[in-house]
Amino acid sequence: MLVTRSRVVAVLAAALAACGTARDGNSPASATTTCASCHGGTDNDSGAPPNDLHGNTATTSMSVGRHTAHVTAGVGCSACHPDRPARSVPGHMDGMVDVELRGLAVAGGSVPPPRFDTSAGTCSNVYCHGVTIPSAAPRPAPVWTGSHDGARCAGCHDDPPRAAGHPAATECASCHPETVGADGELLAGGKHLNGVVDTIAQHPAGYADRADGAFHGPDAIAFLQGRLGVRACSSCHGADLGGGIAPSCTACHASAGWVTPAWQSNCTFCHGSRTKAFDDASDLNLAAPPEDVGGAAAGAKVGAHRPHLAGVVTSNLGCATCHAVPAPAAPLEHLDGTAAVTLTGPGGGTYDPATRTCATACHGASGSPAWDSTDPIGCAGCHAAPPATGRHPGNEPKHAYMGANCGVCHAEVAGVMPQIVDPSRHLDGAVNVKLVTGTYDGTGCSTGCHATLTRFPWAKP
């Protein structure tokens, strides 16, 4: 054990001890047991200067230095000095200052042993200043009487540390919540510099299990979206999420069956029916919420997705009708934290996020219901049933007997009752006219309904 001794002028201390007089208002009785009766006491009651035995408070004085900073950080006196709690202990008041680095200073098994250089006023090979932590470059030894300006963390170890397997992450609180706060500052009274590496598991038990409510999907989506303040999955799971110091996300998902298509290009992996063998060519409706990326079955992120893709009213409303679809080579590029809506289908139009309604030909002149409305709409929700245009029954008394039997003139789209029989022809941007009897040339009918095949113009005079 290396002991460094230096002589100080201790006449005043000896005199105080001899006469039993205390300074700073301490009584003679307390002076025999209180460190601060001779030194320290203004920053804390540990006895660490300031003040020193001569009343000095400047940190540029060797007898003051960084005592307070060390005590505040939780470093006890016995880490640097022989344990001599009472004046009567031999060597305590002999006019010499013994620096004996031990305890916390030697934690982690530093080799060679720690040493304090009285000439330079520096420590070397001490655990306290990161000697046991690998570094990209030698770290200068802090000077006992110097300042602590600059990056604190990088003064002792790289930020983040370069220890084997340590993630390249700066969200220290994620793994060291008892040492560092969410703001990156050391916690007062925390576990920093306690001789051990205190960590917690990055995720709670059951984190990857949707069944117990700790579904990790929203956190992963938040990371992929680049939201501020979220944990960086790649810091532990690898830059491509293929594995690092933590398991491979891709391998884990593949073992669970997300193979063809892979999880990155399977729309239902994040929203919809969670179907591992999803085929967007035939099962596009399975990608429509519910559920949304957070597992919710209702709300603005769910809305009327399913009715639009279910193929009941139309089979022409793919995702690209309302959203930009990511390219196959970059399946996750659409994750940017916003649900951008750009109507590009046969009806075109605009979407108002404030009212959550569309202005589009898809819903006719009646306008659209709110996106997250749960009220069902029928034919009359988009147009009059029957419409009041041309010679529709609503506008032509002679056709009133047909009522809403749309199939009489639109046999390929609708039945004689108000129902859609071929969703692919409904809302396809064209007026599909197929008469039960007779023909239609685009402007008029030649039909046996009128007892002759005389052509009748559709436009009403």
Side-chain angles (χ1 to χ4, degrees):
M1 182 177 298
L2 184 62
V3 178
T4 302
R5 308 200 79 199
S6 61
R7 181 170 297 279
V8 295
V9 180
V11 176
L12 177 60
L16 289 172
C19 66
T21 302
R23 65 175 177 80
D24 296 334
N26 285 309
S27 67
S30 64
T32 62
T33 58
T34 305
C35 302
S37 63
C38 291
H39 48 71
T42 58
D43 285 355
N44 52 67
D45 59 2
S46 70
N51 298 305
D52 67 6
L53 297 178
H54 305 289
N56 294 326
T57 60
T59 57
T60 54
S61 172
M62 184 68 77
S63 56
V64 177
R66 309 303 301 187
H67 274 111
T68 294
H70 282 70
V71 171
T72 302
V75 180
C77 302
S78 61
C80 303
H81 303 288
D83 192 9
R84 296 166 179 164
R87 294 176 179 175
S88 59
V89 175
H92 188 178
M93 299 183 65
D94 61 358
M96 303 294 293
V97 174
D98 296 328
V99 178
E100 181 181 304
L101 302 180
R102 58 182 185 163
L104 185 63
V106 299
S110 60
V111 178
R115 178 179 181 274
F116 177 72
D117 186 333
T118 56
S119 298
T122 59
C123 294
S124 59
N125 300 320
V126 290
Y127 162 84
C128 314
H129 289 284
V131 69
T132 61
I133 304 175
S135 175
R139 290 178 294 273
V143 179
W144 174 250
T145 55
S147 66
H148 279 193
D149 296 334
R152 295 180 305 151
C153 299
C156 295
H157 54 71
D158 295 307
D159 188 14
R162 295 171 62 89
H166 195 286
T170 56
E171 303 88 0
C172 307
S174 295
C175 296
H176 308 285
E178 296 176 312
T179 302
V180 186
D183 58 358
E185 295 295 322
L186 295 175
L187 296 176
K191 294 187 175 182
H192 189 237
L193 287 181
N194 64 349
V196 297
V197 179
D198 295 285
T199 64
I200 63 168
Q202 183 75 356
H203 302 299
Y207 184 72
D209 183 4
R210 292 180 59 230
D212 70 357
F215 180 37
H216 68 297
D219 283 350
I221 293 296
F223 158 66
L224 293 171
Q225 290 176 340
R227 298 183 198 172
L228 294 176
V230 302
R231 295 177 179 178
C233 305
S234 56
S235 63
C236 292
H237 294 278
D240 62 352
L241 304 182
I245 64 169
S248 163
C249 299
T250 300
C252 183
H253 297 154
S255 67
W258 298 92
V259 179
T260 307
W263 69 274
Q264 298 97 324
S265 56
N266 187 328
C267 300
T268 69
F269 182 81
C270 294
H271 46 70
S273 67
R274 302 321 201 271
T275 303
K276 296 172 183 176
F278 169 72
D279 180 359
D280 60 355
S282 59
D283 301 325
L284 190 58
N285 62 298
L286 297 179
E291 301 166 336
D292 66 11
V293 294
K301 293 182 179 179
V302 176
H305 275 110
R306 185 58 58 83
H308 282 74
L309 289 179
V312 176
V313 176
T314 181
S315 59
N316 300 291
L317 298 180
C319 301
T321 303
C322 304
H323 305 287
V325 176
L332 302 180
E333 68 177 7
H334 67 300
L335 294 172
D336 60 3
T338 60
V341 178
T342 303
L343 305 182
T344 60
T350 59
Y351 174 74
D352 184 348
T355 61
R356 297 188 298 280
T357 58
C358 298
T360 171
C362 300
H363 287 281
S366 301
S368 75
W371 170 252
D372 52 356
S373 172
T374 58
D375 296 330
I377 62 172
C379 299
C382 295
H383 53 71
T389 57
R391 294 184 184 273
H392 278 106
N395 196 39
E396 174 54 70
K398 294 180 179 178
H399 288 162
Y401 74 94
M402 292 191 301
N405 293 328
C406 309
V408 173
C409 298
H410 304 281
E412 294 178 328
V413 179
V416 292
M417 298 300 290
Q419 61 182 357
I420 304 300
V421 296
D422 187 353
S424 68
R425 290 178 175 270
H426 188 229
L427 287 180
D428 63 354
V431 178
N432 296 285
V433 178
K434 173 66 175 179
L435 306 180
V436 173
T437 176
T439 60
Y440 176 75
D441 64 5
T443 60
C445 302
S446 297
T447 171
C449 296
H450 299 285
T452 69
L453 292 180
T454 303
R455 181 183 180 281
F456 291 88
W458 176 249
K460 189 173 181 179

